[in-house]
Amino acid sequence: MIVNDFIFAFGICRSSVSLRFMTDTPFSSAKRIVVKTGSALVAENGKPRHEWLEKLASDIVALRRRGLQIVLVSSGAVALGRQSVAGSVANRLDQKQAAAAIGQLRLMSAIATAFEPHDVTIGQALLTLSDTEIRRRWLNARATLETLLESGTVPVINENDTVATDEIRYGDNDRLAARVAQMMGADVLVLLSDIDGLYTADPRSHPDAAHIPHLAELTAEHDAMATGANADAGVGSGGMATKLAAARIAHAAGCSTLITLGNRDHPLLSIEDGARATLISAATTPASARAAWLAGHLTPEGAITLDEGAAKALRGGASLLAVGITGVTGNFERGAAVALKAPSGKMVGKGVTAYGSAEIARVIGRQSDEVEAILGYRGRPAIVHRDDMVLVR
Ligand code: GLU
């Protein structure tokens, strides 16, 4: 794959949905899906909606049987904990944070119960904004979620509401889910809502509003349509405007977004049966979007020089290991963008490094099994993983 002067020929090239052509169902060519469910779906009057969660779990299990990887982003912590703090009036930030501490446990317990009959293990990840916005932390969060997926677990994500205050908050789980989709290279983001998609106006106040089934891009005109579409739902914090904001993040990451009504017998499988939804299809794949980001937006903070063998191996699709490194310049931390250079000094590519410059300097030319002994801990197997690299054409 060619991005400006860079090539990207391997790595995270999962097959991606080309929903623009709509010959298949939205999930048929996807490999990884992020599903987001709102508070109004998982909670009612401060109690978990067990029956609905069972339906959601059984759809997720059905999709997993087809080989799809699913990450669930669920709201509901505040809604399930609020009454234990100060009744339904717990609206102060500290009260909501305390409510989340109580409700998150109830939420996870209800979700675990729903997956129990299927013998599927779930794992909880509570994120704060910096986990997806700071590259060093993003590498950590992504590695953990990858490991959860590889081990057959369904990761269940929420914002870490108990500690996240305004400056460090995503603010709503639609955006959080989009960031997760971006971080994990998901093909489809499903936003399960209390409305079956985007309408030309709020259908509750404009009965003649028309449903929009498919968009290839989002414009200011769509934002204008989205104001107040579920503003009176009362339990969550997202509305159609935040859903479109989330869809924009996903779109830029090569991920399609589906906005649909969650309150159905088959919240996910019904989408394949043609249940009404708005699809905002991606114009590119997650792999191309990531490559374009690496190629275009990252200014190298340092450089790693490779030997001939490593330069060749990278071109063949390998990750960069310590053994192939002959030098490092610059002072950078783990998560930095670095230039990858051939012995001649010519740029081979660019990547996000899993080690800081001081650590790399200590393991130059060493075999992977020596690296752990030298550093005193076991880090990532590669200095720069192939998924985090673009090569110069
Ligand atoms: N993280 C919040 C919760 O679990 C919900 C945020 C949202 O509704 O978007 O209660």
Side-chain angles (χ1 to χ4, degrees), residues 36 39 74-79 104 158-159 161 171-174 236-238:
K36 183 260 168 179
S39 300
S74 183
S75 306
V78 175
Q104 181 62 27
N158 197 354
E159 178 150 21
D161 295 308
D172 64 82
N173 277 9
D174 295 323
S237 57

Side-chain angles (χ1 to χ4, degrees), residues 51-382:
E51 273 180 33
W52 185 80
L53 285 169
E54 278 161 26
K55 290 169 185 167
L56 177 70
S58 99
D59 274 15
I60 289 177
V61 169
L63 291 173
R64 275 164 46 101
R65 277 203 200 102
R66 292 192 215 155
L68 275 157
Q69 291 181 322
I70 318 268
V71 176
L72 179 61
V73 175
S74 183
S75 306
V78 175
L80 291 171
R82 192 172 250 148
Q83 285 176 8
S84 300
V85 176
S88 55
V89 291
N91 276 328
R92 259 182 11 229
L93 178 64
D94 59 303
Q95 288 174 326
K96 285 204 275 186
Q97 291 188 297
I102 298 163
Q104 181 62 27
L105 206 62
R106 294 177 179 159
L107 176 66
M108 290 308 287
S109 161
I111 295 174
T113 305
F115 278 99
E116 213 166 64
H118 306 283
D119 210 15
V120 170
T121 305
I122 62 165
Q124 169 184 272
L126 299 179
L127 302 184
T128 46
L129 194 60
S130 54
D131 291 311
T132 54
E133 310 311 300
I134 297 175
R135 276 203 305 279
R136 181 175 51 81
R137 296 186 59 124
W138 168 86
L139 285 172
N140 285 339
R142 188 185 62 180
T144 307
L145 292 173
E146 288 286 356
T147 303
L148 283 169
L149 287 170
E150 273 162 30
S151 62
T153 305
V154 175
V156 182
I157 297 176
N158 197 354
E159 178 150 21
N160 195 352
D161 295 308
T162 297
V163 295
T165 51
D166 275 352
E167 318 80 74
I168 55 161
R169 284 184 80 214
Y170 296 95
D172 64 82
N173 277 9
D174 295 323
R175 263 179 280 237
L176 165 64
R179 289 290 180 209
V180 169
Q182 175 183 42
M183 177 168 77
M184 300 307 292
D187 316 280
V188 186
L189 166 66
V190 182
L191 300 176
L192 294 177
S193 176
D194 60 353
I195 189 162
D196 53 9
L198 178 66
Y199 285 74
T200 49
D202 184 342
R204 279 171 284 223
S205 46
H206 298 81
D208 53 348
H211 178 262
I212 301 176
H214 183 215
L215 290 170
E217 60 176 341
L218 287 167
T219 64
E221 197 193 348
H222 302 121
D223 291 330
M225 294 171 184
T227 43
N230 68 359
D232 58 358
V235 271
S237 57
M240 190 52 73
T242 70
K243 290 189 171 42
L244 295 194
R248 273 207 172 80
I249 295 168
H251 194 263
C255 174
S256 299
T257 300
L258 265 158
I259 304 170
T260 193
L261 186 71
N263 208 5
R264 301 187 210 261
D265 277 350
H266 286 288
L268 297 172
L269 297 183
S270 63
I271 296 168
E272 301 196 297
D273 296 335
R276 193 180 254 202
T278 294
L279 168 69
I280 300 130
S281 53
T284 179
T285 64
S288 317
R290 171 113 31 123
W293 170 72
L294 282 165
H297 297 289
L298 296 184
T299 311
E301 295 165 53
I304 297 176
T305 308
L306 326 176
D307 64 21
E308 284 299 351
K312 196 164 164 237
L314 256 52
R315 291 209 169 88
S319 295
L320 175 62
L321 305 178
V323 68
I325 297 177
T326 58
V328 58
T329 54
N331 192 355
F332 54 85
E333 287 191 10
R334 174 179 152 66
V338 289
L340 304 171
K341 293 190 168 168
S344 64
K346 230 175 123 190
M347 178 114 147
V348 177
K350 230 183 349 176
V352 173
T353 171
Y355 291 84
S357 51
E359 296 161 302
I360 296 172
R362 292 171 63 198
V363 300
I364 284 174
R366 298 306 191 107
Q367 296 292 337
S368 297
D369 54 6
E370 296 175 286
V371 170
E372 183 180 348
I374 294 167
L375 297 179
Y377 64 89
R378 180 181 288 194
R380 309 268 177 248

